[in-house]
Amino acid sequence: MESGKQAGIRNWTKASGIEPTVRVGIVLDEDSLTTIQLEIPDTHYALTGSGSNTVDLKNVRATATLNADKVTLTIGNETSQDDTVWRFVPQAKQTSQRGEGILVHDVVAGRGFHWFKQIDQTFCGTIELRAGKNGIVLINELPLEQYLMGVITAEMSGNCPADLLKTQCVVARSWLLALTEPKHDNDPFDRCNDDCCQRYQGTGDLSPAAADAVLSTRSLTLIAPDDSVVDANYSKSCGGVAELPESVWGIHKPGLTALFDGPKDSPDSRFFPVTDENLDEYLNGVWQKDTQIYCSPNVVPEEAFGKYLGRVDEAGSYFRWTVTLKREELETLIREKHPPAAGLCRLLGLEVTDRGKSGRASKLAVDFEDENGDKHKTIIETEYNIRNCMHPKFLYSSAFTINTDRDENGLPLSFTLRGAGWGHGAGMCQIGALGMALKGISYDKICIHYFPDARLEKVYD
């Protein structure tokens, strides 16, 4: 049955009691792809255009090319046709097997991040093609539960323990059903396939364990004390302390709170909250050698990341890390990415002036001189903007200290950042949740660890 016959996610309510469909932007206008190659599998699809007859397709290659305000579609060796919208609709029930669906070549993953790449992906459900201003827009429309199978194996590997996959499924379902964040409101899709929203890479990495994780937790959702669906954010590694949403986005989110990401009886809970007084020890202390914080290398060895992280992730040191940038590098980055510093000629100093409970910076003061030698101070606000300005490929997190190396005249030569975690840190810590699962903790307890004010509830049949 075509997924379009179900209610769309934008019109879904908890009271409706039905599974919604979701429209996912796979190729976006900003990707500027003017040609897309697709491979239709050996199962029947109905091809429809906005003004053309339905065509039955199977086992054939299709090429879509942007042609002004239309998409030119060539099927096999047949004559090309133009239309404003094309839809490939499956005509048989899909069973969510690995590699099932239409293969789309060179899909962008990691837009704007250090792990940017293009990969081939397969998608169940309906594939829709539209003409954008800069390139073709490709949308995958499918039921929410089927969508989740492509989320949990993109956010983390299908090789993860079952309880991690179930946890990721519940949290990802909750985040999407909440639909509170103003993203893609003017686009012909609900959410995109990348880190802007949550990763979705179709069926190419689907495992039996991942399929079972979705089926066994069907419709199970985190519900806040006010009876709303929890806007259940998550990031790769909190570094030891999960952050408040107020410090990340400046808003309260029912069901989310700051917390220590380790056993309740751990002596390392003394670092909650992270303060100016304990920050240096939190980042550099010898306590890390024996800590049982769930996202630490003692619980999830970094050499195992290749097995457990998503296909587009790059293994590295994320619990603690060090980055050094020359003054000239940062001058260029701040000039280009922070408009109030467009006149920056010489960077004089950096200082974090506001931090959240995880030590993540939410305000960074920048002292600089302009070309006339006049001194200025500007503030970079939000952890996202700080991370964007402080690294050419986006800094791992904003939980860092700054060590400035200066010359004999006091002019900065370089800035060394010692930091913790990967991502904004609010809500669930994915590597921490993995650590809990590896310790044998069940998914329902993992969910409540990260969202202690929430309850689990099925919201549709």
Side-chain angles (χ1 to χ4, degrees):
M1 179 174 67
E2 182 184 349
S3 60
K5 294 181 181 179
Q6 296 172 272
I9 188 72
R10 291 186 185 273
N11 298 318
W12 183 85
T13 63
K14 185 168 171 279
S16 69
I18 60 173
E19 177 189 1
T21 60
V22 57
R23 288 169 58 83
V24 190
I26 305 299
V27 178
L28 311 190
D29 192 26
E30 66 191 70
D31 297 335
S32 301
L33 294 183
T34 56
T35 299
I36 299 176
Q37 300 285 344
L38 306 93
E39 295 184 25
I40 316 303
D42 192 22
T43 54
H44 288 278
Y45 279 78
L47 172 64
T48 62
S50 58
S52 57
N53 296 326
T54 300
V55 178
D56 184 57
L57 298 176
K58 63 179 294 187
N59 196 26
V60 67
R61 179 183 288 264
T63 303
T65 306
L66 185 66
N67 183 10
D69 60 347
K70 293 185 178 181
V71 175
T72 300
L73 193 63
T74 304
I75 305 296
N77 296 320
E78 295 184 10
T79 304
S80 302
Q81 300 182 63
D82 291 343
D83 217 324
T84 54
V85 178
W86 293 102
R87 285 171 64 86
F88 297 82
V89 183
Q91 297 302 288
K93 182 179 180 180
Q94 295 179 314
T95 56
S96 298
Q97 298 294 313
R98 184 185 182 98
E100 183 178 29
I102 292 178
L103 174 65
V104 181
H105 291 277
D106 300 325
V107 176
V108 171
R111 295 181 184 92
F113 292 93
H114 67 273
W115 56 87
F116 172 90
K117 52 179 63 73
Q118 288 180 277
I119 57 177
D120 295 348
Q121 298 177 14
T122 51
F123 302 98
C124 287
T126 294
I127 294 294
E128 181 175 298
L129 301 169
R130 291 171 171 261
K133 293 181 179 179
N134 303 300
I136 298 170
V137 177
L138 188 149
I139 300 165
N140 184 199
E141 180 180 300
L142 71 172
L144 174 56
E145 297 295 317
Q146 201 171 48
Y147 159 77
L148 288 171
M149 293 186 186
V151 170
I152 66 174
T153 50
E155 286 287 348
M156 298 292 280
S157 166
N159 296 319
C160 286
D163 281 295
L164 180 278
L165 295 171
K166 292 176 183 179
T167 303
Q168 181 68 71
C169 186
V170 171
V171 173
R173 180 186 294 115
S174 303
W175 180 83
L176 187 65
L177 287 173
L179 208 72
T180 60
E181 298 179 20
K183 295 183 176 184
H184 304 294
D185 288 349
N186 298 317
D187 289 315
F189 49 85
D190 305 313
R191 288 292 186 255
C192 77
N193 63 331
D194 216 355
D195 293 75
C196 160
C197 296
Q198 56 186 4
R199 292 183 191 168
Y200 167 71
Q201 293 169 5
T203 64
D205 295 309
L206 185 59
S207 67
D212 178 71
V214 177
L215 294 171
S216 62
T217 66
R218 178 178 172 84
S219 91
L220 199 61
T221 303
L222 288 158
I223 304 298
D226 66 358
D227 209 40
S228 65
V229 175
V230 174
D231 186 2
N233 296 105
Y234 55 90
S235 61
K236 201 61 69 179
S237 172
C238 69
V241 175
E243 189 54 82
L244 281 173
E246 288 88 339
S247 296
V248 178
W249 301 287
I251 58 173
H252 173 67
K253 293 190 175 188
L256 270 72
T257 188
L259 53 86
F260 170 67
D261 193 22
K264 291 182 179 180
D265 59 354
S266 170
D268 302 331
S269 63
R270 71 187 186 278
F271 292 111
F272 179 74
V274 178
T275 64
D276 289 335
E277 288 70 31
N278 66 20
L279 177 60
D280 185 68
E281 186 186 1
Y282 175 68
L283 293 175
N284 303 293
V286 295
W287 62 273
Q288 295 175 34
K289 179 180 178 182
D290 300 312
T291 186
Q292 290 301 299
I293 283 177
Y294 296 132
C295 59
S296 73
N298 297 330
V299 180
V300 185
E302 291 176 348
E303 57 267 26
F305 280 1
K307 176 180 179 181
Y308 294 129
L309 295 186
R311 176 158 53 127
V312 301
D313 289 324
E314 296 177 359
S317 297
Y318 299 119
F319 183 67
R320 294 295 180 269
W321 47 264
T322 301
V323 171
T324 299
L325 298 107
K326 294 181 179 179
R327 186 194 76 240
E328 293 83 1
E329 289 181 87
L330 276 177
E331 287 171 346
T332 299
L333 287 169
I334 295 171
R335 260 196 312 268
E336 292 178 350
K337 297 183 176 184
H338 184 60
L344 186 156
C345 182
R346 180 177 294 173
L347 180 60
L348 301 178
L350 299 168
E351 181 185 6
V352 174
T353 59
D354 196 16
R355 295 184 186 273
K357 292 184 180 295
S358 71
R360 281 170 168 77
S362 55
K363 291 183 180 180
L364 178 68
V366 180
D367 292 304
F368 67 93
E369 287 181 346
D370 62 22
E371 60 182 3
N372 298 317
D374 294 331
K375 291 181 171 58
H376 303 269
K377 182 188 291 287
T378 183
I379 304 294
I380 302 174
E381 297 193 44
T382 78
E383 65 86 33
Y384 182 94
N385 290 333
I386 291 169
R387 293 166 63 197
N388 189 34
C389 289
M390 294 299 288
H391 198 278
K393 292 185 177 180
F394 214 78
L395 194 64
Y396 294 138
S397 91
S398 69
F400 58 78
T401 56
I402 305 168
N403 182 51
T404 307
D405 181 30
R406 298 179 182 271
D407 65 17
E408 63 274 11
N409 298 315
L411 182 67
L413 297 172
S414 63
F415 299 85
T416 297
L417 311 181
R418 173 64 171 168
W422 175 9
H424 53 67
M428 183 182 74
C429 171
Q430 290 172 293
I431 294 177
L434 170 62
M436 294 182 76
L438 290 171
K439 282 179 169 287
I441 299 173
S442 63
Y443 79 92
D444 53 336
K445 292 181 179 179
I446 300 174
C447 287
I448 298 306
H449 167 74
Y450 288 108
F451 304 94
D453 298 330
R455 69 182 189 274
L456 290 169
E457 181 181 313
K458 287 186 175 291
V459 294
Y460 48 79
D461 294 333

